[in-house]
Every structure is written in C-alpha cells, then in structure tokens.
Amino acid sequence: MSPASRADAFAVLDLAPGALPAEIKRAFRRLAMQWHPDRNNGHGAAERFRQIKAAHDYLVRGDEDGEADTAADANSAPARGPDQQETLWLDIEEAIFGGVHVLELERPEVCGDCAGSGRITLASSRMCACCRGSGRVRSKSGLDHCDACGGRGYSAEVRCETCDGTGETRSGRKVRVTVPAGMWPGRRLRLAGKAAAVGDLPPGDLLLQSQLRLHGLFSLRGDALEVTVPVPLFDLLAGSVVAVPVPGGETEMVSVAAGTASETRHTLVGHGLPLRSGGRGDLSVLLQPVLPEKLGKTDLDALRVLQATLAGRESRLYPDLTAWRAQWLRAEPKKGGRKSRKTRS
Ligand SMILES: [Zn+2]
Ligand SMILES: [Zn+2]
C-alpha cells in the first residue's frame, strides 16, 4: 500500500517534490480533514484517505537523505519498509574509543484518535470551551471573533485530548548500537533492518549520523577539541609543568616557560577528535591564570618578601603601568618621589 516512490508520495499530497517535513505534515492535515471517513462519507473517501496516510508515512518515516533514496528507487525495491535516519549523539569518549550505545528513538506517529487533524467531531454540539458560548474572545484589540467555534458559541468539534490538538503522538523504542572506534562528527552507520517497521513490510535500514554531545570539560573551538585548564598565576610566572586532562581519562604534561602572565594556548597533537582521514586531530589547551583565593599569614609573609624584593623595579616590571601613572597621576605621593617621570619616553 506504500507509494512506489517519493515522487508519487509527494504527488498524492499535492506537494512539489522535495517539500519540507513541516509542509508534508501541513498538507497531510489539510487532506486528512477533507478525506477522513469520519468526515467524508463519499464514495472512495476511505481509499483516498488510506493513500494520503501511506504517502505521509512514507515521506515522514522514510530516509530523508535524497541520495540514499535515489539509490533505493533505482534498485526498484525489494518490498521492505523505508529506511530511517537518526542522529547518534555520542560522548567524546564513545566517539573516540567506541562502545555499546543504547539509542532511544522517539518518533511522531499520526494520532489514531483524530487521524492527525488534532480535532474530534462529537455526535452533538457543545458549548465552546474557548469563548464559553459567547462566540467572542478577548484579544489585544478588544473583543474578537472566536476561531474555535467560528463565532457560533457552540461546536461539535473539540480538541483531541490524545494528542493535545497536535495531530501527533510519540512512541519510543530502544536500539542497541555497537559503535566502532573513530566516530568523527558526521560519520554514518547503517544498521540493516533496524528501521521502525511500517505496516507488514520487513523493516528498512536505520541510518545513523554521529554528532558529539559535549559537556563539562571539553568544548569545540571550530573543528578542534578544546580544554581549558586553570593554573595558579605564580606557576605561570615562574614557569612550570602543567597536568592537562585528555579524553580517555589520561593526563598529559604541558611545559610553560617562565614569564607568562596571561592566557596561553598550547596544542597536544593527536589527542583531539577522530579524523575522517584516520587518526586523531589535535587538542587545543587553554591555560588560564587564576589568583589565590585564600591567603594565610605564611602566604602573606612570603608575598611581602616578594613585594619588597621587586619594589624599585616597577618601571621594568610594569612598563604600561608606569606610563599610565606618568600620564594620569599628576600629584604623586611624596614617598614615591618623582623618579617615574624620567621613564616616560
Ligand atoms: Zn489526536
Ligand atoms: Zn467559541
């Protein structure tokens, strides 16, 4: 009962080939209102409705990848259900190292109670719940005609409670996916016969396209994986070796040359995302200076020693600050003398 091709399905729904899913749904609802046997007892209405529903299901459930579909059409189809395309969201470790992933698929189904129209026709009219029988509703511009009942104040149509008026219900199922190592973003997997079953046909293939689900430690900077590592300011100033977490729960060491006071970026080759060409990309490491949060007496003593040691060398340590003071501090404190003025160039 499925249409022979996507082109046929689009034609049944009065749509141009390639119409978007939202357009498909809209067209289906419009035609379902017109042809559903509950609404239309004309000759052939039931058959027409079945065709419309089959066309909708074919297009909405089918593989939305044009190329794959053309290939399927060209084989002129052993009878089986359409393929199904889904996104496979992977954690960074799953994408790199692979593993078993349980995929929960939720898909819209046409609501069986209202045939996708979102409305139910009652045997007799009732007071309109929207306008409470007045035929008018309040709006920004004052009182307006009630759309729900067409202004009559009563109606034999009510919103379908099963689907809350959306025309769709959702059903879920779980699929076990053995994820191979090296899933670069966008890599596809084909699981033969794992698509959702449509009618009595043997199910088509489940086509999965991988995407990264990043949270916590790692983020993306362009196509590169990035990790931000907080480092004590003094370690950066004095030079240090910094431990950097890399995917897989390991740690790599990054050397920092003395004299760095601002954020610096380093590259860990081969610790980034899987590459389409094989192997792994780079991990971009952002070292971020952090200031002490709590200072005890011993810390303060040490800082004061440092302060005294560095005093008198300000013009060399802080050239910008020295220039700023020379420009903006007209009345300098007596203690500091007038030395700084000489450093202005
Ligand atoms: Zn419904
Ligand atoms: Zn009303």
Side-chain angles (χ1 to χ4, degrees), residues 14 33 42 48 103 126 134 160 179 181 197 209 219 233 252 279 312 329:
D14 288 340
M33 299 277 272
R48 179 100 171 92
L103 182 63
R126 280 191 191 165
S134 71
C160 173
V179 180
Q209 187 162 33
S219 58
L233 175 67
E252 287 288 317
L329 297 183

Side-chain angles (χ1 to χ4, degrees), residues 25 29 56 108-111 114 116 162-163 165-170:
K25 283 178 194 167
R29 273 182 213 161
H56 165 272
E109 307 267 353
V110 174
C111 174
C114 62
T162 310
C163 62
T166 61
E168 279 176 358
T169 52
R170 302 204 153 254

Side-chain angles (χ1 to χ4, degrees), residues 49-63:
F49 177 75
R50 261 197 296 276
Q51 285 174 357
I52 291 161
K53 186 167 182 324
H56 165 272
D57 292 355
Y58 181 88
L59 290 174
V60 171
R61 296 171 186 220
D63 170 23

Side-chain angles (χ1 to χ4, degrees), residues 128 130-131 135 146 148-149 153:
C128 173
C130 225
C131 60
C146 174
C149 60

